[in-house]
Amino acid sequence: MSPVPAETGAGCTVENVFAAARARLPGAGPVLDIRTRAFEIYERAGLPRRRIENRKYTDPRMLMRDVLPLAAHPDAAALARARDAVQQAAIERAAKLVLVDGAFAPGLSDLAELESGIELRTLREVLESAAADAMAGLVLSTRDDPVISLNTAMVTDGLVMTVAAGSALNRPIQIIHVATGSSASSFTRSYLHLGNRAHVALVESFVTAEGASGYQANDLMIALLGDEAVLSHLRVAADAADAVNISSGITAVGANAKLNLFNMTDSGALSRYQAFITLAGEGTELSANGVNLIKNEQYADATLVVDHAAPHCRSQEKFRTVVNDHARSVFRGRIIVRPGARRTDGKLTARALLLSDQAEADLKPELEIMADDVTCGHGATLGTLDRNLLFYLRARGLSEFDAQTLLIEAFVGEAVEEIDNDSLRNYAVGQIQRWLEARR
């Protein structure tokens, strides 16, 4: 076994961080065995190098070079600071479920306002239950990915949600992750199972309490959609300017179901969001879109892998990036069409807008087609603000700033308008407007 050459800021290896955290990690017996195997997989495989094609632009060793010690369990002062952050991030009418420094915070959550049809448990509760070995194994399932393996080994808490078949929740569910400390890491994981014909709107928000800085977040969301289920899923990362956020999503979609996914990153020093979506049932529709708005020295990576495993499925992906100053953005979108997935319709477009000469963006759309009778296509473009349009707007009395803002709004609006839930779309638009106003 060759240790991963990763060290913490205190000079400790990741192995030492895991060893120090084990006494605090929930679960024993089979759960501990799963954790240990996941960490061994992480150690044995090590971190892939940039010479591997799918890691060409983002070096995993840059993402995980410094794994910080596990964050302390939030005390009363941390919860008080988190409350202010929750109030600022909350979506109107949404039922809030709050995780503070990797631990569920019932006092900040709207447990009494959850609608009928949804069953909620914390991940800690599931992992500590001796009678829930099968469930623990399911929610701790992993895949061939070092980030997810490390999450499996280190996860402390999260939410396990089951929505009954036929239930249509009227209010969105908002999971708010709040970081209150500094120089510490959190590992969270949530599991959502939608029964057949269930309808849910879900928001994940990553926010920062006043005074928090230099932290790391590693999160995973696993979602399983039954036949004819509908999920609208918005994810917004609004971390501290010097924070690291590495998050993953694993989603399997049943027959004749619909998934509308939108990811947005507008903060943090270093972020990577990777989504693995399998269209497992016939007749499924997927709309997966996103926006990255970055500036200064920020680095943001978004990777979407859409796996068409059944016939007559349709997927559409739109990703827009705005890069300013010395920031760098990476987008990789891959569409896989499995043998037998006939009549697949897959489209992917990625566009980047550079606002400075030092800004950098990499766009890498990919198709892997192993079936006949399919319609698939992709496109990628990179450019700057149109000088003719800027001149046109300035000639009609707009300031330089307002003219640029109008063009940027139109650019990212191509992706935002694909959000199919009004509350979720308004929330995303508000985040974009705050970022644009901060440029002033």
Side-chain angles (χ1 to χ4, degrees), residues 4-39:
V4 178
E7 293 189 350
T8 70
C12 299
T13 65
V14 177
E15 186 177 23
N16 288 340
V17 172
F18 178 59
R22 286 179 72 162
R24 292 179 48 200
L25 300 176
V31 172
L32 185 56
D33 292 341
I34 293 172
R35 290 184 183 278
T36 303
R37 284 199 301 272
F39 192 76

Side-chain angles (χ1 to χ4, degrees), residues 54-73:
N54 62 10
R55 303 285 183 177
K56 180 177 179 180
Y57 297 107
T58 299
D59 186 352
R61 293 167 188 265
M62 176 185 70
L63 294 172
M64 302 175 67
R65 181 175 53 237
D66 299 317
V67 177
L68 299 172
L70 208 58
H73 193 80

Side-chain angles (χ1 to χ4, degrees), residues 390-407:
L390 279 174
F391 177 79
Y392 176 85
L393 294 172
R394 293 296 308 277
R396 276 146 184 81
L398 272 68
S399 67
E400 178 75 15
F401 176 84
D402 288 340
Q404 289 185 5
T405 298
L406 198 61
L407 293 180

Side-chain angles (χ1 to χ4, degrees), residues 277 279 286 288 304-309 313-318 331-338 344-349 364-370 374-379:
I277 304 169
L279 307 184
L286 166 68
L304 302 178
V305 179
V306 177
D307 191 343
H308 285 261
C313 293
R314 185 171 62 182
S315 67
Q316 172 191 278
E317 299 169 62
K318 289 183 181 178
F331 172 77
R332 175 174 172 255
R334 188 180 189 191
I335 297 175
I336 303 170
V337 182
R338 300 288 176 183
T344 286
D345 185 353
K347 295 182 177 63
L348 185 159
T349 62
K364 193 172 188 297
E366 303 173 13
L367 295 176
E368 183 178 349
I369 300 174
M370 296 171 277
V374 302
T375 302
C376 291
H378 65 65

